Amino acid sequence: MTKIITYGTFDYFHYGHFMLLKRAAALGSSLIVGLSSDEFNLQKNKQSLLDFDKRKEVLESLNFIDSIFPENSWEQKVEDIKNHNIDILVMGSDWNMKFDYLKKYCDVVYLERTPKISTSLIKEIL
Ligand code: C2G
């Protein structure tokens, strides 16, 4: 039973988000997602277009996500990994090496970002 975790804002959900989550889920038997709260987004200097509940509603429609919980701080990952007995933390390659400090608690895998699509690009078009 390989347990996967990932984190993100997933604002204006798009194919890049989908492919990250789908590939992450394929690495194990369960996937849980730390969804950035609206307040934490401000700490990330991200003003999400959709609030937490709407972003959560979109993720809940994906049958390969087993549970979704709020991500309220950078520091919570260690506790999340321990409390959920996580085997692998998966993030997109734009985070490459940034979470290597967590390798003492679980494997850390960075998956290639899906090119040419991002929430900021979508915001520019809107
Ligand atoms: N992603 C991707 N391809 C894209 C866009 C995003 O693979 N074209 C990935 C990102 O690398 C990330 C995930 O999708 O792993 C979610 O992206 P964001 O919603 O932008 O999340 P981010 O702001 O990177 O938050 O503590 C970690 C942070 O909460 C991550």
Side-chain angles (χ1 to χ4, degrees), residues 54-118:
K54 292 187 181 70
R55 292 183 283 116
K56 185 168 185 272
E57 192 178 358
V58 173
L59 294 189
E60 283 170 339
S61 69
L62 300 174
N63 62 10
F64 50 75
I65 295 178
D66 294 280
S67 86
I68 302 157
F69 59 94
E71 179 190 27
N72 296 304
S73 73
W74 293 110
E75 295 75 24
Q76 74 181 72
K77 292 186 178 67
V78 174
E79 282 315 301
D80 292 342
I81 288 165
K82 287 179 182 173
N83 294 342
H84 295 282
N85 301 311
I86 295 298
D87 298 292
I88 310 173
L89 165 68
V90 176
M91 292 302 297
S93 54
D94 48 316
W95 290 95
N96 207 17
M97 297 172 62
K98 297 284 191 324
F99 297 114
D100 286 1
Y101 70 94
L102 293 167
K103 285 186 173 176
K104 52 175 166 255
Y105 305 103
C106 67
D107 290 344
V108 178
V109 171
Y110 302 99
L111 299 175
E112 200 52 41
R113 248 180 97 87
T114 303
K116 302 190 181 79
I117 187 161
S118 69

Side-chain angles (χ1 to χ4, degrees), residues 7-11 14 16-17 20 23 36 40 44 46 71 74 77 91-92 94-95 99 112-114 117:
Y7 295 82
T9 299
F10 298 104
D11 192 26
H14 57 68
H17 295 141
L20 187 282
R23 288 177 293 163
S36 305
F40 182 50
K44 288 164 54 174
K46 273 192 162 185
E71 179 190 27
W74 293 110
K77 292 186 178 67
M91 292 302 297
D94 48 316
W95 290 95
F99 297 114
E112 200 52 41
R113 248 180 97 87
T114 303
I117 187 161

